[in-house]
């Protein structure tokens, strides 16, 4: 029974990480709101990631803002990356997320 619940939980977490690339959410305007909507289901609210599932901590990234925004939008990323490509995400939205990660999550 425990194995089944662990399997179901793992499947749910993977589904939560595979959000579609829909950015029709005008009510989300801050980097925090955008991060919580697009990123927190995998990388956690704290940016700590989920080591046991292979999801890296984003709060410890050494990427520049430009590298972060490109990575979020799927540019220059390994083809076997499990992270969803947010290729239709606006540059402004990706930048807001990158600034939130660097200025808030990295200093907590």
């Amino acid at each position: 029974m425990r194995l089944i619940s662990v399997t179901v939980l793992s499947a749910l977490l993977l589904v939560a990480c595979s959000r579609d690339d829909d950015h029709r959410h005008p009510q989300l305007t801050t980097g925090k709101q955008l991060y919580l909507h697009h990123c927190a289901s995998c990388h956690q609210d704290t940016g700590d990631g989920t080591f046991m599932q292979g999801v890296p901590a984003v709060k410890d990234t050494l990427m520049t803002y430009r590298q972060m925004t490109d990575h979020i939008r799927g540019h220059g990323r390994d083809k076997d990356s499990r992270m969803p490509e947010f290729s239709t995400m606006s540059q402004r939205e990706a930048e807001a997320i990158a600034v939130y990660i660097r200025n808030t999550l990295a200093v907590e």
Side-chain angles (χ1 to χ4, degrees):
M1 181 66 163
R2 183 161 171 80
L3 178 60
I4 292 171
S5 58
V6 170
T7 304
V8 170
L9 178 61
S10 296
L12 288 173
L13 288 172
L14 287 175
V15 168
C17 291
S18 63
R19 294 181 185 263
D20 60 33
D21 197 14
D22 184 6
H23 300 281
R24 292 173 290 179
H25 43 63
Q27 73 283 8
L28 304 178
T29 58
T30 69
K32 180 178 182 176
Q33 291 169 332
L34 293 164
Y35 175 85
L36 291 174
H37 179 76
H38 290 293
C39 312
S41 62
C42 296
H43 293 286
Q44 309 304 312
D45 293 356
T46 59
D48 288 316
T50 311
F51 176 76
M52 295 301 288
Q53 293 179 340
V55 179
V58 294
K59 71 179 192 175
D60 299 326
T61 186
L62 299 177
M63 290 183 189
T64 65
Y65 288 108
R66 172 71 184 255
Q67 290 169 327
M68 289 169 65
T69 58
D70 286 349
H71 192 78
I72 291 167
R73 297 179 70 212
H75 305 292
R77 214 186 305 152
D78 291 338
K79 294 292 182 201
D80 62 346
S81 175
R82 295 185 326 172
M83 182 173 157
E85 274 189 25
F86 296 108
S87 58
T88 64
M89 180 183 285
S90 71
Q91 184 70 21
R92 187 213 62 81
E93 196 170 314
E95 287 171 355
I97 292 169
V99 168
Y100 173 72
I101 290 169
R102 182 60 54 78
N103 293 347
T104 305
L105 295 181
V107 296
E108 289 182 343

